[in-house]
Amino acid sequence: KAGVTQTPRYLIKTRGQQVTLSCSPISGHRSVSWYQQTPGQGLQFLFEYFSETQRNKGNFPGRFSGRQFSNSRSEMNVSTLELGDSALYLCASSWGGRTVGDTQYFGPGTRLTVL
Amino acid sequence: GNSVTQMEGPVTLSEEAFLTINCTYTATGYPSLFWYVQYPGEGLQLLLKATKADDKGSNKGFEATYRKETTSFHLEKGSVQVSDSAVYFCALSDPFRNTGNQFYFGTGTSLTVIP
């Protein structure tokens, strides 16, 4: 079974630009979560989508947004990029139902550098 | 609310030494507990999990026991190898009490094993 895939793997943008990252979950998984990972702040939760609806949201500004499509693929968008948005963005998928031990499986991440 | 506290790193050990990484949690319900490992330049990989009190998760020589009385899930390995050098994350989920499948991660503990 194919794992979680994220594209692109690397991105370089300049301040003020916007960026869209893509995540394809494991087949059959309906929940996709996004995280930002930086050396200073560690792993921070951005949002979770389930069946095309945002179910949970972390404490990030409105510049960070996402969506999920009917095939469970998800995208996240960051507008008006700032230097501090440079990070590894991780996507994780899970079945998403109310199941004990439902596990999140992570993709390799997208490394975003903002110049 | 839910939270996870991990021991601060970095941890440096000699090959074949015994490893313990402490993890304690706060949760209102009966969460599932996880350990993830992240190798340089990669996403997080599930290492092991436990879904109820006194369960022991194990994988690749690593073990962790779900201790409800001490709200802990400490990671142990009897004899570490250089290839175990990575960052280790403790996490919990409680899909029955939360809206959705949000995971709560600790700050991560960096382990370096020297030959």
PDB file of all heavy atoms in Angstrom, chain A residues 9 35 37 43 45 48 55-56 90 94 98-104 106-108, chain B residues 32 34 36 38 43-44 46 49 51 89 95-96 98-103 105:
ATOM      1  N   ARG A   9       8.696  18.441  -2.766  1.00  0.00           N
ATOM      2  CA  ARG A   9       9.513  18.135  -1.585  1.00  0.00           C
ATOM      3  C   ARG A   9      10.265  19.369  -1.107  1.00  0.00           C
ATOM      4  O   ARG A   9      10.522  19.520   0.081  1.00  0.00           O
ATOM      5  CB  ARG A   9      10.505  17.021  -1.904  1.00  0.00           C
ATOM      6  CG  ARG A   9       9.883  15.666  -2.115  1.00  0.00           C
ATOM      7  CD  ARG A   9       9.273  15.104  -0.824  1.00  0.00           C
ATOM      8  NE  ARG A   9      10.172  15.179   0.310  1.00  0.00           N
ATOM      9  CZ  ARG A   9      11.110  14.289   0.587  1.00  0.00           C
ATOM     10  NH1 ARG A   9      11.270  13.240  -0.202  1.00  0.00           N
ATOM     11  NH2 ARG A   9      11.871  14.432   1.656  1.00  0.00           N
ATOM     12  N   TYR A  35       1.036  19.814   9.805  1.00  0.00           N
ATOM     13  CA  TYR A  35       1.885  20.303  10.880  1.00  0.00           C
ATOM     14  C   TYR A  35       2.998  21.165  10.297  1.00  0.00           C
ATOM     15  O   TYR A  35       3.475  20.926   9.185  1.00  0.00           O
ATOM     16  CB  TYR A  35       2.535  19.140  11.633  1.00  0.00           C
ATOM     17  CG  TYR A  35       1.564  18.213  12.326  1.00  0.00           C
ATOM     18  CD1 TYR A  35       0.976  17.152  11.648  1.00  0.00           C
ATOM     19  CD2 TYR A  35       1.240  18.390  13.667  1.00  0.00           C
ATOM     20  CE1 TYR A  35       0.087  16.298  12.282  1.00  0.00           C
ATOM     21  CE2 TYR A  35       0.358  17.537  14.316  1.00  0.00           C
ATOM     22  CZ  TYR A  35      -0.209  16.501  13.609  1.00  0.00           C
ATOM     23  OH  TYR A  35      -1.086  15.652  14.242  1.00  0.00           O
ATOM     24  N   GLN A  37       6.867  22.224  11.245  1.00  0.00           N
ATOM     25  CA  GLN A  37       7.978  21.851  12.124  1.00  0.00           C
ATOM     26  C   GLN A  37       9.139  22.795  11.909  1.00  0.00           C
ATOM     27  O   GLN A  37       9.649  22.946  10.793  1.00  0.00           O
ATOM     28  CB  GLN A  37       8.412  20.412  11.873  1.00  0.00           C
ATOM     29  CG  GLN A  37       9.456  19.919  12.870  1.00  0.00           C
ATOM     30  CD  GLN A  37       9.850  18.476  12.668  1.00  0.00           C
ATOM     31  OE1 GLN A  37       9.853  17.974  11.551  1.00  0.00           O
ATOM     32  NE2 GLN A  37      10.181  17.796  13.756  1.00  0.00           N
ATOM     33  N   LEU A  43       7.067  20.782  16.626  1.00  0.00           N
ATOM     34  CA  LEU A  43       5.976  20.328  15.772  1.00  0.00           C
ATOM     35  C   LEU A  43       4.700  21.035  16.204  1.00  0.00           C
ATOM     36  O   LEU A  43       4.238  20.870  17.325  1.00  0.00           O
ATOM     37  CB  LEU A  43       5.834  18.817  15.940  1.00  0.00           C
ATOM     38  CG  LEU A  43       5.086  18.008  14.898  1.00  0.00           C
ATOM     39  CD1 LEU A  43       5.768  18.103  13.555  1.00  0.00           C
ATOM     40  CD2 LEU A  43       5.035  16.551  15.336  1.00  0.00           C
ATOM     41  N   PHE A  45       0.628  21.938  15.284  1.00  0.00           N
ATOM     42  CA  PHE A  45      -0.554  21.500  14.548  1.00  0.00           C
ATOM     43  C   PHE A  45      -1.187  22.684  13.825  1.00  0.00           C
ATOM     44  O   PHE A  45      -1.432  23.735  14.419  1.00  0.00           O
ATOM     45  CB  PHE A  45      -1.547  20.873  15.530  1.00  0.00           C
ATOM     46  CG  PHE A  45      -2.888  20.554  14.959  1.00  0.00           C
ATOM     47  CD1 PHE A  45      -3.048  19.489  14.100  1.00  0.00           C
ATOM     48  CD2 PHE A  45      -3.997  21.312  15.293  1.00  0.00           C
ATOM     49  CE1 PHE A  45      -4.288  19.173  13.583  1.00  0.00           C
ATOM     50  CE2 PHE A  45      -5.248  21.011  14.791  1.00  0.00           C
ATOM     51  CZ  PHE A  45      -5.391  19.932  13.932  1.00  0.00           C
ATOM     52  N   GLU A  48      -6.820  19.942  10.710  1.00  0.00           N
ATOM     53  CA  GLU A  48      -7.199  18.599  10.318  1.00  0.00           C
ATOM     54  C   GLU A  48      -8.439  18.676   9.441  1.00  0.00           C
ATOM     55  O   GLU A  48      -9.383  19.418   9.749  1.00  0.00           O
ATOM     56  CB  GLU A  48      -7.503  17.699  11.521  1.00  0.00           C
ATOM     57  CG  GLU A  48      -7.872  16.269  11.116  1.00  0.00           C
ATOM     58  CD  GLU A  48      -8.801  15.555  12.085  1.00  0.00           C
ATOM     59  OE1 GLU A  48      -9.218  16.159  13.098  1.00  0.00           O
ATOM     60  OE2 GLU A  48      -9.112  14.380  11.827  1.00  0.00           O
ATOM     61  N   ARG A  55     -11.976  19.965  10.660  1.00  0.00           N
ATOM     62  CA  ARG A  55     -12.493  19.476  11.934  1.00  0.00           C
ATOM     63  C   ARG A  55     -11.794  20.095  13.129  1.00  0.00           C
ATOM     64  O   ARG A  55     -12.370  20.240  14.187  1.00  0.00           O
ATOM     65  CB  ARG A  55     -12.316  17.952  12.015  1.00  0.00           C
ATOM     66  CG  ARG A  55     -13.546  17.191  11.962  1.00  0.00           C
ATOM     67  CD  ARG A  55     -13.521  15.744  12.249  1.00  0.00           C
ATOM     68  NE  ARG A  55     -12.333  14.959  12.178  1.00  0.00           N
ATOM     69  CZ  ARG A  55     -12.349  13.634  12.277  1.00  0.00           C
ATOM     70  NH1 ARG A  55     -13.497  12.998  12.429  1.00  0.00           N
ATOM     71  NH2 ARG A  55     -11.230  12.929  12.219  1.00  0.00           N
ATOM     72  N   ASN A  56     -10.529  20.395  12.959  1.00  0.00           N
ATOM     73  CA  ASN A  56      -9.736  20.988  14.028  1.00  0.00           C
ATOM     74  C   ASN A  56      -8.810  22.027  13.427  1.00  0.00           C
ATOM     75  O   ASN A  56      -8.386  21.898  12.274  1.00  0.00           O
ATOM     76  CB  ASN A  56      -8.875  19.928  14.729  1.00  0.00           C
ATOM     77  CG  ASN A  56      -9.677  19.061  15.650  1.00  0.00           C
ATOM     78  OD1 ASN A  56     -10.261  19.519  16.615  1.00  0.00           O
ATOM     79  ND2 ASN A  56      -9.727  17.769  15.347  1.00  0.00           N
ATOM     80  N   LEU A  90       4.578  19.075   7.321  1.00  0.00           N
ATOM     81  CA  LEU A  90       4.289  17.648   7.326  1.00  0.00           C
ATOM     82  C   LEU A  90       2.794  17.410   7.228  1.00  0.00           C
ATOM     83  O   LEU A  90       1.997  18.089   7.863  1.00  0.00           O
ATOM     84  CB  LEU A  90       4.824  17.005   8.610  1.00  0.00           C
ATOM     85  CG  LEU A  90       6.333  16.972   8.763  1.00  0.00           C
ATOM     86  CD1 LEU A  90       6.718  16.669  10.195  1.00  0.00           C
ATOM     87  CD2 LEU A  90       6.935  15.926   7.834  1.00  0.00           C
ATOM     88  N   SER A  94      -4.900   9.508   8.401  1.00  0.00           N
ATOM     89  CA  SER A  94      -5.421   8.439   9.249  1.00  0.00           C
ATOM     90  C   SER A  94      -6.829   8.110   8.780  1.00  0.00           C
ATOM     91  O   SER A  94      -7.412   8.858   7.985  1.00  0.00           O
ATOM     92  CB  SER A  94      -5.433   8.846  10.724  1.00  0.00           C
ATOM     93  OG  SER A  94      -6.325   9.928  10.933  1.00  0.00           O
ATOM     94  N   ARG A  98     -13.922   7.404  14.803  1.00  0.00           N
ATOM     95  CA  ARG A  98     -13.726   7.317  16.261  1.00  0.00           C
ATOM     96  C   ARG A  98     -13.294   5.890  16.598  1.00  0.00           C
ATOM     97  O   ARG A  98     -14.092   5.081  17.060  1.00  0.00           O
ATOM     98  CB  ARG A  98     -14.997   7.705  16.982  1.00  0.00           C
ATOM     99  CG  ARG A  98     -15.312   9.173  16.802  1.00  0.00           C
ATOM    100  CD  ARG A  98     -16.297   9.670  17.814  1.00  0.00           C
ATOM    101  NE  ARG A  98     -16.171  11.096  18.005  1.00  0.00           N
ATOM    102  CZ  ARG A  98     -16.733  11.766  19.013  1.00  0.00           C
ATOM    103  NH1 ARG A  98     -17.439  11.127  19.911  1.00  0.00           N
ATOM    104  NH2 ARG A  98     -16.577  13.056  19.114  1.00  0.00           N
ATOM    105  N   THR A  99     -12.040   5.636  16.374  1.00  0.00           N
ATOM    106  CA  THR A  99     -11.492   4.300  16.561  1.00  0.00           C
ATOM    107  C   THR A  99     -10.313   4.362  17.498  1.00  0.00           C
ATOM    108  O   THR A  99      -9.393   5.158  17.289  1.00  0.00           O
ATOM    109  CB  THR A  99     -11.033   3.723  15.208  1.00  0.00           C
ATOM    110  OG1 THR A  99     -12.126   3.737  14.309  1.00  0.00           O
ATOM    111  CG2 THR A  99     -10.499   2.321  15.368  1.00  0.00           C
ATOM    112  N   VAL A 100     -10.309   3.522  18.497  1.00  0.00           N
ATOM    113  CA  VAL A 100      -9.176   3.475  19.425  1.00  0.00           C
ATOM    114  C   VAL A 100      -7.918   3.102  18.656  1.00  0.00           C
ATOM    115  O   VAL A 100      -7.911   2.150  17.881  1.00  0.00           O
ATOM    116  CB  VAL A 100      -9.450   2.436  20.527  1.00  0.00           C
ATOM    117  CG1 VAL A 100      -8.206   2.198  21.365  1.00  0.00           C
ATOM    118  CG2 VAL A 100     -10.608   2.892  21.403  1.00  0.00           C
ATOM    119  N   GLY A 101      -6.871   3.880  18.875  1.00  0.00           N
ATOM    120  CA  GLY A 101      -5.591   3.562  18.271  1.00  0.00           C
ATOM    121  C   GLY A 101      -5.455   3.945  16.818  1.00  0.00           C
ATOM    122  O   GLY A 101      -4.487   3.542  16.165  1.00  0.00           O
ATOM    123  N   ASP A 102      -6.420   4.706  16.291  1.00  0.00           N
ATOM    124  CA  ASP A 102      -6.291   5.171  14.909  1.00  0.00           C
ATOM    125  C   ASP A 102      -4.985   5.936  14.770  1.00  0.00           C
ATOM    126  O   ASP A 102      -4.749   6.907  15.486  1.00  0.00           O
ATOM    127  CB  ASP A 102      -7.482   6.065  14.557  1.00  0.00           C
ATOM    128  CG  ASP A 102      -7.516   6.439  13.097  1.00  0.00           C
ATOM    129  OD1 ASP A 102      -6.898   5.736  12.270  1.00  0.00           O
ATOM    130  OD2 ASP A 102      -8.179   7.443  12.774  1.00  0.00           O
ATOM    131  N   THR A 103      -4.150   5.524  13.851  1.00  0.00           N
ATOM    132  CA  THR A 103      -2.771   6.013  13.788  1.00  0.00           C
ATOM    133  C   THR A 103      -2.603   7.018  12.668  1.00  0.00           C
ATOM    134  O   THR A 103      -3.151   6.848  11.579  1.00  0.00           O
ATOM    135  CB  THR A 103      -1.824   4.825  13.565  1.00  0.00           C
ATOM    136  OG1 THR A 103      -1.976   3.911  14.659  1.00  0.00           O
ATOM    137  CG2 THR A 103      -0.379   5.280  13.469  1.00  0.00           C
ATOM    138  N   GLN A 104      -1.839   8.055  12.942  1.00  0.00           N
ATOM    139  CA  GLN A 104      -1.479   8.998  11.889  1.00  0.00           C
ATOM    140  C   GLN A 104      -0.186   8.532  11.227  1.00  0.00           C
ATOM    141  O   GLN A 104       0.791   8.206  11.902  1.00  0.00           O
ATOM    142  CB  GLN A 104      -1.276  10.404  12.462  1.00  0.00           C
ATOM    143  CG  GLN A 104      -2.581  11.071  12.840  1.00  0.00           C
ATOM    144  CD  GLN A 104      -2.439  12.568  13.077  1.00  0.00           C
ATOM    145  OE1 GLN A 104      -1.355  13.119  13.069  1.00  0.00           O
ATOM    146  NE2 GLN A 104      -3.564  13.238  13.290  1.00  0.00           N
ATOM    147  N   PHE A 106       2.718   9.656   8.473  1.00  0.00           N
ATOM    148  CA  PHE A 106       3.265  10.901   7.960  1.00  0.00           C
ATOM    149  C   PHE A 106       3.899  10.748   6.591  1.00  0.00           C
ATOM    150  O   PHE A 106       4.490   9.717   6.260  1.00  0.00           O
ATOM    151  CB  PHE A 106       4.327  11.441   8.929  1.00  0.00           C
ATOM    152  CG  PHE A 106       3.747  12.088  10.140  1.00  0.00           C
ATOM    153  CD1 PHE A 106       3.259  11.321  11.194  1.00  0.00           C
ATOM    154  CD2 PHE A 106       3.662  13.471  10.237  1.00  0.00           C
ATOM    155  CE1 PHE A 106       2.714  11.919  12.315  1.00  0.00           C
ATOM    156  CE2 PHE A 106       3.117  14.070  11.357  1.00  0.00           C
ATOM    157  CZ  PHE A 106       2.641  13.289  12.392  1.00  0.00           C
ATOM    158  N   GLY A 107       3.805  11.834   5.820  1.00  0.00           N
ATOM    159  CA  GLY A 107       4.563  11.937   4.597  1.00  0.00           C
ATOM    160  C   GLY A 107       5.975  12.432   4.880  1.00  0.00           C
ATOM    161  O   GLY A 107       6.317  12.737   6.024  1.00  0.00           O
ATOM    162  N   PRO A 108       6.790  12.548   3.828  1.00  0.00           N
ATOM    163  CA  PRO A 108       8.179  12.966   4.009  1.00  0.00           C
ATOM    164  C   PRO A 108       8.335  14.460   4.256  1.00  0.00           C
ATOM    165  O   PRO A 108       9.399  14.901   4.682  1.00  0.00           O
ATOM    166  CB  PRO A 108       8.832  12.573   2.691  1.00  0.00           C
ATOM    167  CG  PRO A 108       7.722  12.631   1.702  1.00  0.00           C
ATOM    168  CD  PRO A 108       6.496  12.201   2.436  1.00  0.00           C
TER     169      PRO A 108
ATOM    170  N   SER B  32      -5.110   6.984  23.454  1.00  0.00           N
ATOM    171  CA  SER B  32      -4.123   6.073  22.891  1.00  0.00           C
ATOM    172  C   SER B  32      -2.790   6.805  22.887  1.00  0.00           C
ATOM    173  O   SER B  32      -2.743   8.021  22.708  1.00  0.00           O
ATOM    174  CB  SER B  32      -4.503   5.675  21.462  1.00  0.00           C
ATOM    175  OG  SER B  32      -5.710   4.955  21.455  1.00  0.00           O
ATOM    176  N   PHE B  34       1.414   6.955  21.647  1.00  0.00           N
ATOM    177  CA  PHE B  34       2.263   6.609  20.516  1.00  0.00           C
ATOM    178  C   PHE B  34       3.686   7.107  20.743  1.00  0.00           C
ATOM    179  O   PHE B  34       3.906   8.121  21.409  1.00  0.00           O
ATOM    180  CB  PHE B  34       1.741   7.293  19.231  1.00  0.00           C
ATOM    181  CG  PHE B  34       0.310   6.975  18.891  1.00  0.00           C
ATOM    182  CD1 PHE B  34      -0.727   7.632  19.515  1.00  0.00           C
ATOM    183  CD2 PHE B  34       0.013   6.035  17.913  1.00  0.00           C
ATOM    184  CE1 PHE B  34      -2.059   7.357  19.212  1.00  0.00           C
ATOM    185  CE2 PHE B  34      -1.302   5.747  17.584  1.00  0.00           C
ATOM    186  CZ  PHE B  34      -2.330   6.407  18.239  1.00  0.00           C
ATOM    187  N   TYR B  36       6.758   8.094  18.007  1.00  0.00           N
ATOM    188  CA  TYR B  36       7.183   8.255  16.630  1.00  0.00           C
ATOM    189  C   TYR B  36       8.680   8.544  16.622  1.00  0.00           C
ATOM    190  O   TYR B  36       9.231   9.108  17.570  1.00  0.00           O
ATOM    191  CB  TYR B  36       6.460   9.426  15.962  1.00  0.00           C
ATOM    192  CG  TYR B  36       5.028   9.153  15.569  1.00  0.00           C
ATOM    193  CD1 TYR B  36       4.002   9.286  16.490  1.00  0.00           C
ATOM    194  CD2 TYR B  36       4.711   8.779  14.263  1.00  0.00           C
ATOM    195  CE1 TYR B  36       2.686   9.039  16.125  1.00  0.00           C
ATOM    196  CE2 TYR B  36       3.391   8.542  13.890  1.00  0.00           C
ATOM    197  CZ  TYR B  36       2.398   8.672  14.833  1.00  0.00           C
ATOM    198  OH  TYR B  36       1.084   8.435  14.466  1.00  0.00           O
ATOM    199  N   GLN B  38      11.825  10.238  14.069  1.00  0.00           N
ATOM    200  CA  GLN B  38      12.114  11.034  12.873  1.00  0.00           C
ATOM    201  C   GLN B  38      13.604  11.015  12.608  1.00  0.00           C
ATOM    202  O   GLN B  38      14.400  11.496  13.420  1.00  0.00           O
ATOM    203  CB  GLN B  38      11.631  12.482  13.047  1.00  0.00           C
ATOM    204  CG  GLN B  38      11.793  13.326  11.797  1.00  0.00           C
ATOM    205  CD  GLN B  38      11.268  14.744  11.983  1.00  0.00           C
ATOM    206  OE1 GLN B  38      11.338  15.307  13.077  1.00  0.00           O
ATOM    207  NE2 GLN B  38      10.732  15.332  10.911  1.00  0.00           N
ATOM    208  N   GLY B  43      10.071  12.427   7.323  1.00  0.00           N
ATOM    209  CA  GLY B  43       8.884  12.621   8.147  1.00  0.00           C
ATOM    210  C   GLY B  43       8.917  11.717   9.367  1.00  0.00           C
ATOM    211  O   GLY B  43       9.882  10.987   9.591  1.00  0.00           O
ATOM    212  N   LEU B  44       7.859  11.769  10.151  1.00  0.00           N
ATOM    213  CA  LEU B  44       7.784  10.937  11.350  1.00  0.00           C
ATOM    214  C   LEU B  44       7.308   9.533  10.971  1.00  0.00           C
ATOM    215  O   LEU B  44       6.429   9.372  10.132  1.00  0.00           O
ATOM    216  CB  LEU B  44       6.800  11.542  12.365  1.00  0.00           C
ATOM    217  CG  LEU B  44       7.312  12.647  13.263  1.00  0.00           C
ATOM    218  CD1 LEU B  44       7.630  13.904  12.481  1.00  0.00           C
ATOM    219  CD2 LEU B  44       6.292  12.950  14.356  1.00  0.00           C
ATOM    220  N   LEU B  46       5.848   5.885  12.677  1.00  0.00           N
ATOM    221  CA  LEU B  46       5.322   5.250  13.869  1.00  0.00           C
ATOM    222  C   LEU B  46       6.317   4.212  14.371  1.00  0.00           C
ATOM    223  O   LEU B  46       6.764   3.347  13.615  1.00  0.00           O
ATOM    224  CB  LEU B  46       3.986   4.581  13.571  1.00  0.00           C
ATOM    225  CG  LEU B  46       3.375   3.789  14.728  1.00  0.00           C
ATOM    226  CD1 LEU B  46       2.941   4.736  15.840  1.00  0.00           C
ATOM    227  CD2 LEU B  46       2.203   2.938  14.237  1.00  0.00           C
ATOM    228  N   LYS B  49       2.827   1.753  19.613  1.00  0.00           N
ATOM    229  CA  LYS B  49       1.669   2.400  20.209  1.00  0.00           C
ATOM    230  C   LYS B  49       1.041   1.475  21.249  1.00  0.00           C
ATOM    231  O   LYS B  49       1.309   0.266  21.271  1.00  0.00           O
ATOM    232  CB  LYS B  49       0.634   2.778  19.157  1.00  0.00           C
ATOM    233  CG  LYS B  49      -0.078   1.599  18.519  1.00  0.00           C
ATOM    234  CD  LYS B  49      -1.080   2.088  17.467  1.00  0.00           C
ATOM    235  CE  LYS B  49      -1.874   0.934  16.878  1.00  0.00           C
ATOM    236  NZ  LYS B  49      -2.804   1.393  15.796  1.00  0.00           N
ATOM    237  N   THR B  51      -2.935   1.199  23.382  1.00  0.00           N
ATOM    238  CA  THR B  51      -4.272   1.784  23.359  1.00  0.00           C
ATOM    239  C   THR B  51      -5.023   1.686  24.677  1.00  0.00           C
ATOM    240  O   THR B  51      -6.091   2.286  24.810  1.00  0.00           O
ATOM    241  CB  THR B  51      -5.122   1.130  22.259  1.00  0.00           C
ATOM    242  OG1 THR B  51      -5.188  -0.277  22.513  1.00  0.00           O
ATOM    243  CG2 THR B  51      -4.507   1.377  20.894  1.00  0.00           C
ATOM    244  N   PHE B  89       9.433  11.285  19.306  1.00  0.00           N
ATOM    245  CA  PHE B  89       8.270  12.066  19.724  1.00  0.00           C
ATOM    246  C   PHE B  89       7.249  11.166  20.404  1.00  0.00           C
ATOM    247  O   PHE B  89       6.869  10.121  19.862  1.00  0.00           O
ATOM    248  CB  PHE B  89       7.588  12.722  18.521  1.00  0.00           C
ATOM    249  CG  PHE B  89       8.379  13.798  17.863  1.00  0.00           C
ATOM    250  CD1 PHE B  89       9.266  13.490  16.839  1.00  0.00           C
ATOM    251  CD2 PHE B  89       8.239  15.124  18.248  1.00  0.00           C
ATOM    252  CE1 PHE B  89       9.993  14.489  16.210  1.00  0.00           C
ATOM    253  CE2 PHE B  89       8.964  16.129  17.630  1.00  0.00           C
ATOM    254  CZ  PHE B  89       9.843  15.805  16.614  1.00  0.00           C
ATOM    255  N   PRO B  95      -9.814  10.249  20.314  1.00  0.00           N
ATOM    256  CA  PRO B  95     -10.877  10.590  19.371  1.00  0.00           C
ATOM    257  C   PRO B  95     -12.268  10.522  19.956  1.00  0.00           C
ATOM    258  O   PRO B  95     -13.202  11.077  19.387  1.00  0.00           O
ATOM    259  CB  PRO B  95     -10.693   9.546  18.251  1.00  0.00           C
ATOM    260  CG  PRO B  95      -9.964   8.422  18.882  1.00  0.00           C
ATOM    261  CD  PRO B  95      -9.084   9.042  19.921  1.00  0.00           C
ATOM    262  N   PHE B  96     -12.420   9.873  21.113  1.00  0.00           N
ATOM    263  CA  PHE B  96     -13.759   9.796  21.692  1.00  0.00           C
ATOM    264  C   PHE B  96     -14.108  11.051  22.478  1.00  0.00           C
ATOM    265  O   PHE B  96     -15.265  11.334  22.731  1.00  0.00           O
ATOM    266  CB  PHE B  96     -13.883   8.565  22.588  1.00  0.00           C
ATOM    267  CG  PHE B  96     -13.857   7.297  21.809  1.00  0.00           C
ATOM    268  CD1 PHE B  96     -12.677   6.619  21.612  1.00  0.00           C
ATOM    269  CD2 PHE B  96     -15.006   6.804  21.224  1.00  0.00           C
ATOM    270  CE1 PHE B  96     -12.644   5.451  20.870  1.00  0.00           C
ATOM    271  CE2 PHE B  96     -14.978   5.639  20.480  1.00  0.00           C
ATOM    272  CZ  PHE B  96     -13.801   4.967  20.308  1.00  0.00           C
ATOM    273  N   ASN B  98     -12.375  14.127  21.766  1.00  0.00           N
ATOM    274  CA  ASN B  98     -12.082  15.304  20.957  1.00  0.00           C
ATOM    275  C   ASN B  98     -12.937  15.290  19.703  1.00  0.00           C
ATOM    276  O   ASN B  98     -13.439  14.265  19.280  1.00  0.00           O
ATOM    277  CB  ASN B  98     -10.610  15.316  20.553  1.00  0.00           C
ATOM    278  CG  ASN B  98      -9.707  15.411  21.749  1.00  0.00           C
ATOM    279  OD1 ASN B  98     -10.066  16.014  22.737  1.00  0.00           O
ATOM    280  ND2 ASN B  98      -8.559  14.775  21.656  1.00  0.00           N
ATOM    281  N   THR B  99     -13.054  16.444  19.126  1.00  0.00           N
ATOM    282  CA  THR B  99     -13.734  16.540  17.844  1.00  0.00           C
ATOM    283  C   THR B  99     -12.718  16.189  16.773  1.00  0.00           C
ATOM    284  O   THR B  99     -11.910  17.004  16.396  1.00  0.00           O
ATOM    285  CB  THR B  99     -14.263  17.971  17.617  1.00  0.00           C
ATOM    286  OG1 THR B  99     -15.051  18.348  18.716  1.00  0.00           O
ATOM    287  CG2 THR B  99     -15.051  18.042  16.335  1.00  0.00           C
ATOM    288  N   GLY B 100     -12.726  14.988  16.332  1.00  0.00           N
ATOM    289  CA  GLY B 100     -11.784  14.604  15.308  1.00  0.00           C
ATOM    290  C   GLY B 100     -10.608  13.833  15.859  1.00  0.00           C
ATOM    291  O   GLY B 100     -10.579  13.429  17.014  1.00  0.00           O
ATOM    292  N   ASN B 101      -9.633  13.651  15.037  1.00  0.00           N
ATOM    293  CA  ASN B 101      -8.494  12.805  15.361  1.00  0.00           C
ATOM    294  C   ASN B 101      -7.241  13.640  15.582  1.00  0.00           C
ATOM    295  O   ASN B 101      -6.187  13.340  15.054  1.00  0.00           O
ATOM    296  CB  ASN B 101      -8.276  11.795  14.232  1.00  0.00           C
ATOM    297  CG  ASN B 101      -7.362  10.678  14.672  1.00  0.00           C
ATOM    298  OD1 ASN B 101      -7.277  10.366  15.857  1.00  0.00           O
ATOM    299  ND2 ASN B 101      -6.674  10.080  13.730  1.00  0.00           N
ATOM    300  N   GLN B 102      -7.349  14.693  16.376  1.00  0.00           N
ATOM    301  CA  GLN B 102      -6.191  15.527  16.612  1.00  0.00           C
ATOM    302  C   GLN B 102      -5.197  14.806  17.503  1.00  0.00           C
ATOM    303  O   GLN B 102      -5.563  14.249  18.540  1.00  0.00           O
ATOM    304  CB  GLN B 102      -6.589  16.853  17.260  1.00  0.00           C
ATOM    305  CG  GLN B 102      -5.405  17.797  17.445  1.00  0.00           C
ATOM    306  CD  GLN B 102      -5.807  19.175  17.897  1.00  0.00           C
ATOM    307  OE1 GLN B 102      -6.980  19.531  17.866  1.00  0.00           O
ATOM    308  NE2 GLN B 102      -4.833  19.962  18.303  1.00  0.00           N
ATOM    309  N   PHE B 103      -3.957  14.822  17.112  1.00  0.00           N
ATOM    310  CA  PHE B 103      -2.876  14.258  17.890  1.00  0.00           C
ATOM    311  C   PHE B 103      -2.166  15.378  18.662  1.00  0.00           C
ATOM    312  O   PHE B 103      -2.048  16.498  18.177  1.00  0.00           O
ATOM    313  CB  PHE B 103      -1.851  13.567  16.975  1.00  0.00           C
ATOM    314  CG  PHE B 103      -2.154  12.123  16.693  1.00  0.00           C
ATOM    315  CD1 PHE B 103      -3.415  11.730  16.281  1.00  0.00           C
ATOM    316  CD2 PHE B 103      -1.165  11.151  16.815  1.00  0.00           C
ATOM    317  CE1 PHE B 103      -3.697  10.397  16.020  1.00  0.00           C
ATOM    318  CE2 PHE B 103      -1.440   9.819  16.553  1.00  0.00           C
ATOM    319  CZ  PHE B 103      -2.691   9.438  16.155  1.00  0.00           C
ATOM    320  N   PHE B 105       1.454  16.184  20.391  1.00  0.00           N
ATOM    321  CA  PHE B 105       2.840  15.720  20.375  1.00  0.00           C
ATOM    322  C   PHE B 105       3.667  16.404  21.452  1.00  0.00           C
ATOM    323  O   PHE B 105       3.459  17.576  21.776  1.00  0.00           O
ATOM    324  CB  PHE B 105       3.484  16.013  19.010  1.00  0.00           C
ATOM    325  CG  PHE B 105       3.055  15.067  17.930  1.00  0.00           C
ATOM    326  CD1 PHE B 105       1.914  15.321  17.185  1.00  0.00           C
ATOM    327  CD2 PHE B 105       3.791  13.929  17.654  1.00  0.00           C
ATOM    328  CE1 PHE B 105       1.505  14.444  16.185  1.00  0.00           C
ATOM    329  CE2 PHE B 105       3.395  13.040  16.663  1.00  0.00           C
ATOM    330  CZ  PHE B 105       2.254  13.307  15.929  1.00  0.00           C
TER     331      PHE B 105
END
